[in-house]
Amino acid sequence: MNDAQLQALVRLPAPQSCRVIDFDKAEVVVLESFPPQYVLVVSGTKPYLNMKVDLVPLVYIQQPDYWGIEVVGCLPGIGLPATAPYAISLPLAGHIGTVGIEVIGASKHQQIQIPPGQAACQGSFSLSITSKATGELLARASLTCNPAGGSHPHPEAACKQLTEAAGHIEAIPEKQGICTKIFKPVILSASGTWDGEERKFQRGFANQCVAVLATGGLVFDFEDARPSSAELLFSRDDRPVDGELREVKITPEDGSTFTATLHTTYVDRINGHEIDQTEQLASGLTCSITDAQVTCSRDDRAADGKLHELVVSRNDEGTFDATLRTAFFDRIDGRGVDETTDIGAGLIKQ
């Protein structure tokens, strides 16, 4: 849209059934994802019971300092003369100014800086320690910064070191300490991004103790981090914006097989109670696990059973999507069934 088109839009008559209305509270919620997702949550009291309230971003030719977002109430017909509370939300992707946003109500405006306070660097790393002699994976962890998270046992402290080194592991000062002189060489590897720039690190050391101290004592200090054969958890919690919690958990059984479960929690506003349930998706699964994808399957069709195939794969945004494929022969209807169901999107690997 150019300047002439925008001016023509402004000159159009305003709708008689919609008005900018007041709000009581406006805040930005930061979802725990990478990169962070920002959601505007606005609440207040609407003047009519049947009024529909929306958050409507203004249109700009170029990005402003604060992106204006109007609180708009519309009536579908005759207004029911009774006030009622409202709470609405709007994902802010594509509607953030160079500084933040401005919530526009009938009698007040509120500017909100995004991200709140001073912007912090965002980072995401896959970290591993392998034996130089055998190539065996000794330990592995994931680490995200702003927000700090992943499977790393000390994400906040590790992110602080990375921030001071601008995401360059090789620039982190060595930590002083004492290690044994046992020669058991390891290779430390890291790959990821820091503020959108690629970061890679790989270096060999005489043993794991020397390696951890040489890289600052924190970033690769994850001996107790979950290896690939331990429990995996992928989750997304949208309850702060009136959504639901979804957790896909892959748990090792005795031996080399796994059980997959789906945990769902949300508020059922129709019936006025909270739903908190866990269902088993499949058991006895054989899994292939990498940083980018987990594939778990069990095929009992040869014994007149079912195929269960769970796939959790990294998407373009860096989060994970989960699907469950079920295939079997339906003897009642006399037909083959082969269907894939989405069981989670935008999940974060914990």
Side-chain angles (χ1 to χ4, degrees), residues 34-221:
F34 184 80
Q37 300 177 54
Y38 301 99
V39 178
L40 172 63
V41 181
V42 176
S43 58
T45 301
K46 55 186 178 181
Y48 295 98
L49 185 63
N50 60 333
M51 174 173 277
K52 184 178 184 297
V53 183
D54 287 312
L55 296 172
V56 181
L58 298 181
V59 178
Y60 296 93
I61 296 174
Q62 60 184 18
Q63 186 182 25
D65 292 338
Y66 288 90
W67 198 296
I69 299 174
E70 295 180 329
V71 184
V72 177
C74 295
L75 286 173
I78 299 174
L80 299 179
T83 60
Y86 71 85
I88 49 177
S89 62
L90 175 72
L92 292 175
H95 303 300
I96 300 176
T98 57
V99 180
I101 63 168
E102 182 175 13
V103 184
I104 302 171
S107 61
K108 72 172 182 178
H109 294 195
Q110 179 180 339
Q111 292 182 339
I112 303 175
Q113 186 177 355
I114 300 176
Q118 185 177 2
C121 292
Q122 301 167 3
S124 177
F125 289 90
S126 294
L127 308 165
S128 65
I129 304 174
T130 58
S131 167
K132 188 174 181 179
T134 66
E136 176 189 1
L137 177 65
L138 303 177
R140 179 168 64 185
S142 60
L143 174 65
T144 62
C145 298
N146 188 32
S151 64
H152 198 290
H154 313 291
E156 292 85 2
C159 286
K160 182 179 179 182
Q161 280 193 338
L162 284 165
T163 298
E164 293 172 352
H168 294 283
I169 294 175
E170 61 273 19
I172 298 175
E174 180 179 353
K175 180 180 179 181
Q176 298 301 311
I178 299 175
C179 293
T180 64
K181 295 185 178 180
I182 297 175
F183 185 69
K184 195 173 181 180
V186 297
I187 297 175
L188 304 189
S189 300
S191 62
T193 60
W194 188 262
D195 255 13
E197 297 180 359
E198 186 180 37
R199 293 286 189 270
K200 285 187 178 295
F201 173 85
Q202 188 173 81
R203 190 169 296 177
F205 298 90
N207 59 51
Q208 190 165 335
C209 175
V210 172
V212 171
L213 292 179
T215 51
L218 284 171
V219 175
F220 284 93
D221 184 17

